[in-house]
Amino acid sequence: MSDFAGRIVVVNSQAEKLFGYAREELVGQSVESLMPARFRTNHPGFRHGYAAQPHSRPMAAGSELFGLRKDGTEFPVEISLSPVENSVLRARLRGADPQGATLVLSAIRDVTAARAAEKALRASEARFRSILESAPDAMVIADDQGRIVLANAETERLFGYLRDELIGRHVELLVPGRFRDMHPRHRREYTAKPRTRSMGEGRELRGLRKDGGEFPVEIMLSPLVSAEGTLITAAVRDITERKKAEEQLLRTVNELKRSNSELQQFAYVASHDLQEPLRMVASYTQLLAQRYKGRLDSDADEFIAYAVDGSNRMHGLIEDLLSYSRAGTDGRALCEISSEDVLAEALANLKGRMDESDAVVTHDALPVLTTDARQLAQVFQNLIGNAIKYRGGEAPRVHVSAARNGSGAWTFSVADNGLGIDPLYFERIFVLFQRLHRREEFAGTGIGLAICKKVLEQLGGRIWVESEPGSGSTFYFTLPDGDEKP
Ligand code: ADP
């Protein structure tokens, strides 16, 4: 408590503690000694102003005030002033100085902690805003009444409003008219049970721009607990591009499915229907050969022989085409099988050819896996059959092994000591009817590897070769175990 001359009259123990002075040191001092030097010059003026109109009010409301401790350190303070009539003093002064009888009570509060908390709050708010600003989604924050309290730059860009046009408006402003009526109900339901989740599971959500345009959106909702109660944050993402890409992909997939099944149908029908007239050509050329051999001239015999040969070959090709178009999963479920058993079955089918060429086929332990046994047998049979057919000078040695690869599928290998293949043809040999040898050298139509490729790809695997001419070839193929596509 001080008088209007600014001298301290009374202090409490809290004032001693706050400023670090003993009571005796304070009483009689000017109040200016308790404030930093920079405030001292103007203070007597304020004091006189207060003396002219003494009433209870905060001191210098709105500006930052500081106290000065005895040790010279400063601290932020809030001060409220109130005039106190002092009858004792008045009696003592005996009316000599009427104003002197009024004292000023300054209630001084150290607001260091409160200021620090405010500052921290401001800093975290600034951080929050900057995160919000840099978010790739339009972030719209609304109160429990659905009124927008905050929106970021992306919201302005996406919806075409300036922030000022959004703040205070209902979020329904951003929802197309036909969804607007039901939105407040959804909003209330969400506010009653707020949790982080995407909005409108399964429903197509759309945003409405200021210009009336609509666009597909995806919205994540999450509650945001704040001093003003629970706010709702909506992260809105424009998915126009993704939708377009998805639709395009779906169209392409359907188109592919259609053309694929059409092609399959075509190959099957063509080869099937070609057989009938071919059978006629074959049987009549054979009849010609039987009946007229030696009865026409020697040229005629030769021509007839060519015709018979050609029709036989064509018959072979058509058979191949049919088996190629039939090859692949015909919708049968995959089973758990031992690939070692499957290999044994394939080898049984190759027994004649193996004996003929003194071929030896060895193998490592082979896995049990879930796949199509019949097709795996066909792959083994084609690959080992080729290894025997395209042998070099020595008796064929073939080794089969398998290992788990990085993606959880199995990689099988079939290695031979045969002729080998020029890297130039590593791709071509898997194409239908593509061969590296003439018929006269090695029988065949170039369908075996094409079938392997087709069935393996249908099972979710792939096939490739590594080889060097003269040093044998190793064919590799992968098979996923069951439905896990690699
Ligand atoms: P085909 O054996 O009827 O010609 P394939 O599709 O099985 O048909 O093989 C295509 C071509 O790949 C063969 O003509 C052959 O030149 C080559 N080839 C396949 N397997 C081997 C192998 N193990 N060693 C060398 N060449 C091979």
Side-chain angles (χ1 to χ4, degrees):
M1 207 171 328
S2 55
D3 62 20
F4 277 104
R7 272 185 311 272
I8 298 169
V9 182
V10 183
V11 293
N12 65 358
S13 63
Q14 189 59 26
E16 292 180 284
K17 229 193 278 172
L18 209 56
F19 290 92
Y21 289 100
R23 195 172 300 235
E24 311 79 69
E25 292 176 294
L26 286 172
V27 173
Q29 281 286 338
S30 82
V31 287
E32 277 84 18
S33 64
L34 299 182
M35 60 187 68
R38 61 184 181 283
F39 297 109
R40 272 178 210 155
T41 340
N42 290 334
H43 196 256
F46 292 136
R47 247 189 314 106
H48 294 133
Y50 188 78
Q53 277 186 314
H55 62 281
S56 292
R57 63 167 171 85
M59 179 169 155
S63 51
E64 294 216 326
L65 300 177
F66 291 88
L68 182 70
R69 290 193 194 88
K70 187 181 177 183
D71 66 9
T73 54
E74 293 183 16
F75 58 100
V77 292
E78 253 167 36
I79 303 176
S80 56
L81 304 172
S82 20
V84 179
E85 276 296 314
N86 187 325
S87 48
V88 180
L89 206 62
R90 183 181 295 277
R92 204 156 32 154
L93 289 170
R94 288 193 200 94
D97 175 8
Q99 221 189 29
T102 306
L103 299 176
V104 184
L105 176 68
S106 306
I108 305 168
R109 175 176 302 152
D110 179 351
V111 292
T112 308
R115 287 279 149 78
E118 263 170 42
K119 217 164 124 188
L121 192 68
R122 271 201 301 275
S124 79
E125 211 178 274
R127 259 201 312 277
F128 174 70
R129 277 176 197 268
S130 97
I131 291 172
L132 204 69
E133 264 324 276
S134 57
D137 294 336
M139 306 287 287
V140 181
I141 300 180
D143 63 15
D144 56 355
Q145 302 300 308
R147 278 184 303 253
I148 299 173
V149 294
L150 217 62
N152 66 352
E154 181 63 12
T155 308
E156 293 185 315
R157 199 190 65 77
L158 206 58
F159 289 93
Y161 286 98
L162 293 174
R163 245 170 277 207
D164 291 348
E165 300 173 292
L166 291 172
I167 307 297
R169 304 288 301 274
H170 278 96
V171 288
E172 279 77 26
L173 179 68
L174 307 176
V175 176
R178 61 190 182 286
F179 303 121
R180 215 169 274 164
D181 285 351
M182 21 195 259
H183 196 260
R185 189 169 56 89
H186 290 309
R187 200 155 40 67
R188 276 193 299 277
E189 281 168 8
Y190 185 83
T191 319
K193 255 195 280 179
R195 64 188 169 84
T196 301
R197 64 164 171 84
S198 57
M199 180 170 151
E201 296 278 8
R203 265 185 298 134
E204 297 251 317
L205 301 178
R206 300 183 73 81
L208 179 68
R209 267 194 299 271
K210 188 181 178 185
D211 66 10
E214 286 187 19
F215 55 101
V217 291
E218 194 174 74
I219 302 178
M220 257 330 257
L221 297 173
S222 50
L224 179 73
V225 179
S226 78
E228 296 97 65
T230 300
L231 302 175
I232 310 299
T233 307
V236 185
R237 181 169 298 179
D238 181 354
I239 55 169
T240 308
E241 288 309 312
R242 203 180 71 197
K243 268 260 140 59
K244 260 194 224 152
E246 273 171 13
E247 279 162 16
Q248 179 63 38
L249 193 70
L250 199 70
R251 265 202 303 277
T252 313
V253 166
N254 284 335
E255 178 65 17
L256 263 174
K257 266 192 199 153
R258 198 187 53 72
S259 77
N260 209 28
S261 77
E262 210 173 73
L263 211 63
Q264 221 155 7
Q265 190 89 7
F266 171 78
Y268 181 78
V269 170
S271 44
H272 191 266
D273 292 356
L274 279 175
Q275 274 189 324
E276 186 46 41
L278 181 66
R279 232 187 312 254
M280 201 147 99
V281 173
S283 50
Y284 280 99
T285 45
Q286 268 154 22
L287 209 61
L288 268 176
Q290 283 164 18
R291 288 237 186 119
Y292 296 98
K293 196 166 165 64
R295 291 172 59 183
L296 302 168
D297 60 19
S298 64
D299 272 359
D301 284 354
E302 200 181 329
F303 295 167
I304 291 172
Y306 283 147
V308 171
D309 182 44
S311 64
N312 282 343
R313 257 174 36 224
M314 186 131 169
H315 178 71
L317 283 173
I318 288 175
E319 286 278 290
D320 281 351
L321 205 56
L322 257 178
S323 44
Y324 180 78
S325 69
R326 282 196 196 116
T329 39
D330 33 25
R332 274 167 311 151
L334 306 180
C335 296
E336 192 175 86
I337 49 106
S338 150
S339 53
E340 229 167 271
D341 292 351
V342 173
L343 176 65
E345 190 189 311
L347 292 181
N349 291 338
L350 290 166
K351 186 164 186 321
R353 280 196 263 167
M354 284 171 66
D355 290 348
E356 234 172 72
S357 57
D358 285 332
V360 177
V361 180
T362 53
H363 65 85
D364 294 340
L366 298 178
V368 167
L369 76 165
T370 302
T371 191
D372 183 324
R374 199 176 58 94
Q375 297 189 40
L376 180 59
Q378 183 163 28
V379 169
F380 277 140
Q381 197 169 321
N382 287 355
L383 294 181
I384 297 167
N386 279 348
I388 296 170
K389 182 163 41 161
Y390 300 105
R391 62 176 169 270
E394 298 157 34
R397 293 276 171 281
V398 186
H399 186 73
V400 182
S401 58
R404 272 251 188 229
N405 63 25
S407 33
W410 290 97
T411 301
F412 286 83
S413 64
V414 178
D416 66 39
N417 61 341
L419 292 174
I421 301 165
D422 188 326
L424 212 58
Y425 305 119
F426 281 0
E427 304 276 331
R428 207 172 104 182
I429 54 173
F430 296 102
V431 177
L432 191 63
F433 297 144
Q434 293 291 330
R435 314 194 61 214
L436 304 183
H437 298 95
R438 287 183 303 123
R439 249 179 326 118
E440 294 74 24
E441 295 176 275
F442 295 98
T445 52
I447 196 182
L449 293 179
I451 286 187
C452 290
K453 184 168 148 76
K454 186 178 174 192
V455 304
L456 286 168
E457 283 176 359
Q458 279 193 9
L459 290 171
R462 60 189 199 92
I463 183 168
W464 69 101
V465 68
E466 283 174 14
S467 174
E468 239 180 78
S471 319
S473 316
T474 304
F475 283 82
Y476 294 92
F477 63 89
T478 60
L479 267 183
D481 199 350
D483 284 333
E484 321 154 8
K485 300 265 148 129

